[in-house]
Amino acid sequence: MQIEFVAADAPVAAASAVGVLAFDKARLSPEAARLDAESGGVLSRAMSASRFTGAVGQTVDILAPANLACGRLTVLGAGDEAGLDAMRMETIAAYAYQGVKTSGAEQLELRLGELDGAEMASAAAFGIRLASYRFDRYRTTEKPEKRPSIRLVQIACRDPKAAQTAYAGKAGLANAVLFARDLVSEPANILYPESFARRVRELASLGLEIEILGEKEMAALGMGSLLGVGQGSVRESQLAVMQWKGASDPDAAPIAFVGKGVCFDTGGISLKSAEGMEEMVTDMGGAAAVAGLMYALASRKAKVNAVGILGLVENMPDGNAQRPGDVVTSMSGQTIEVINTDAEGRLVLADALWYCHDRFKPRFMVDLATLTGAIIVALGKDYAGLFSNDDELAERLLAASKATGEALWRMPLPPQYDKNLDSAVADMKNVGPRYGGSITAALFIQRFVAGRPWAHLDIASTAHKPNSTIPTIPSGATGFGVRLLDRLVADHYES
Ligand code: BES
Ligand code: MN
Ligand code: ZN
């Protein structure tokens, strides 16, 4: 699908699907009013014949409007005009696309008229690109009439050149989100630690420095915690290290992002039950988001030094798998009694975070992980949990969350819960009591950040949306975290 920007007064294309905006109280935008007049008031009549109020998400569809060349004319609710910002425009444009994607029309024309400049047009294109995501690599028998029909999207706006320039800066971010979604969507027989690492290696073409550590290298570093998780798998565990050096001083301390990349989580010997286990193919959503973020930073040549570290493993039961009760020694030297082999994400992060801090001495570390079912119980499917030992970092993440719509809710790290991790045989055990499960998990991880500024995002709730109602996020993999962290970096860490 191609997206281009054309002049506001470009003629309406034959047979296209055209979208125009209407604000609160069904007040037509100037461009909508112009087409309404041209077609003899068809829009006004259609709006008053329905309960259209102009709220975002509402649409009125007219087929074959008189005197216009287009096959379909859709009025898109845009809410209150004063509050129309780039993020809302992404949503409106995404609704426009969703409404016609399988209609048979091959061209969508979103007509913004003289509406505020390049940022809005660029946001519309960004929203449509995210909305058009589809993972169809393994569909071979789908009927053509079920497939999306739109091939060309035109955004008619005041300054197409400026819009194109603005969008050039955002297209890389859109591609990065789609890259992350693809990784999460891939089944575990295709995407396992080594093949994941190969896809990451390909990002070297964007200017990223990529290193891949195998089991031998990790054993030499003493990463007994991460390696124990992958021990039952025939797939070799990997640690991917991605570096982007965009700051004027290439030796300036970087910021760092660490992702849980459990390519499949069976639970191991503490085996999960069959129902829904297939969803654990998404248990590398944290690593996918970090890879996506690094993609985005490199695409726009962000003026920052950033490190991305992915702990890539597969958690399987096997004759060689780690047992409940095993004690492992992490790279930090701290020992861990593995009570439950299904609490494996924290074991992976323990070594990945310690390695990150030890080697890079970053300004802060943010980890992303599909860590606990408990975070879904606590927050539902629309919020990821934010845990942090640093109020400034937490506030900045919450601000980026507001600005991008990737919702976070801050959770506590109560010191009095820390003793729940006490073990009779080792420095700690890997699970606590059932209540407050995501908090205990975060407290566990906190033991491996050496007191450095750190935030943990538990994205078990948001990495994957089987029934999405958000137009920019088609059902399935969300790419959650890429937009959020790109914004965090852009707003605070570029020189
Ligand atoms: N990958 C799961 C968490 C998860 C659950 C992600 C549902 C996405 C959807 C994680 O490794 C896990 O199994 N956590 C256990 C921890 C428990 C054994 C302490 C859980 O949440 O039940
Ligand atoms: Mn698990
Ligand atoms: Zn897991």
Side-chain angles (χ1 to χ4, degrees), residues 189-237:
N189 59 328
I190 303 293
L191 198 80
Y192 45 90
E194 283 173 300
S195 59
F196 194 135
R198 277 198 288 277
R199 287 201 193 185
V200 167
R201 223 191 261 282
E202 285 167 16
L203 299 184
S205 61
L206 295 171
L208 289 161
E209 286 173 32
I210 313 284
E211 291 159 74
I212 309 291
L213 279 60
E215 290 185 352
K216 237 172 93 188
E217 288 100 332
M218 287 191 274
L221 288 162
M223 294 191 175
S225 181
L226 184 153
L227 288 170
V229 176
Q231 194 177 298
S233 171
V234 297
R235 308 291 194 185
E236 186 180 335
S237 300

Side-chain angles (χ1 to χ4, degrees), residues 173 177 180 257 285-286 288-290 292-293 368 384 397 404 406 408 457 459 462-463 478-488:
L173 177 58
V177 173
F257 303 89
V290 170
L293 170 69
L368 294 93
L397 280 161
T404 56
E406 295 199 315
L408 296 179
L457 307 183
I459 61 169
T462 56
T478 60
F480 185 97
V482 178
R483 282 180 287 163
L484 172 82
L485 297 176
D486 180 72
R487 185 64 183 242
L488 173 80

Side-chain angles (χ1 to χ4, degrees), residues 260 262 265-267 270 272 279-280 282-284 315 340-346 369-376 381 430-434 437-438 441 458-461 463-464:
K260 167 181 173 181
V262 177
D265 179 15
T266 64
S270 314
K272 289 180 182 296
E279 207 196 314
M280 288 303 117
T282 65
D283 209 20
M284 27 56 67
N315 188 21
N340 188 321
T341 64
D342 197 12
E344 84 297 341
R346 62 199 76 180
T370 49
L371 205 66
T372 65
I375 201 68
I376 312 176
K381 291 284 285 174
N430 76 329
V431 292
R434 197 158 75 88
S438 12
D458 192 337
I459 61 169
S461 43
H464 181 239

Side-chain angles (χ1 to χ4, degrees), residues 256-339:
F257 303 89
V258 178
K260 167 181 173 181
V262 177
C263 295
F264 196 82
D265 179 15
T266 64
I269 296 300
S270 314
L271 192 63
K272 289 180 182 296
S273 58
E275 194 180 323
M277 200 204 275
E278 71 285 353
E279 207 196 314
M280 288 303 117
V281 62
T282 65
D283 209 20
M284 27 56 67
V290 170
L293 170 69
M294 298 303 290
Y295 183 131
L297 296 179
S299 303
R300 64 178 175 78
K301 305 218 181 308
K303 292 190 174 54
V304 68
N305 293 341
V307 173
I309 293 185
L310 320 179
L312 303 171
V313 301
E314 184 181 58
N315 188 21
M316 296 292 273
D318 181 72
N320 189 46
Q322 100 178 325
R323 291 148 293 250
D326 281 4
V327 175
V328 294
T329 303
S330 66
M331 183 181 173
S332 72
Q334 300 175 91
T335 57
I336 304 160
E337 181 189 9
V338 180
I339 298 288

Side-chain angles (χ1 to χ4, degrees), residues 34-47:
R34 193 179 70 74
L35 295 186
D36 187 42
E38 240 173 81
S39 65
V42 66
L43 286 183
S44 308
R45 288 205 304 285
M47 286 192 309

Side-chain angles (χ1 to χ4, degrees), residues 6-13 16-22 29-35 38 68 70 72-74 76 89 92 96 107-115 124 128 153-158:
V6 299
D9 59 356
V12 169
S16 61
V18 168
V20 289
L21 308 190
S29 65
E31 179 66 4
R34 193 179 70 74
L35 295 186
E38 240 173 81
L68 294 173
C70 58
R72 179 189 290 254
L73 181 56
T74 304
L76 304 157
M89 181 57 88
I92 297 165
Q107 186 171 338
L108 166 62
E109 237 179 83
L110 186 60
R111 302 189 65 95
L112 302 179
E114 296 298 313
L115 191 86
I128 288 175
V153 174
Q154 288 189 325
I155 317 261
C157 56
R158 189 165 61 193

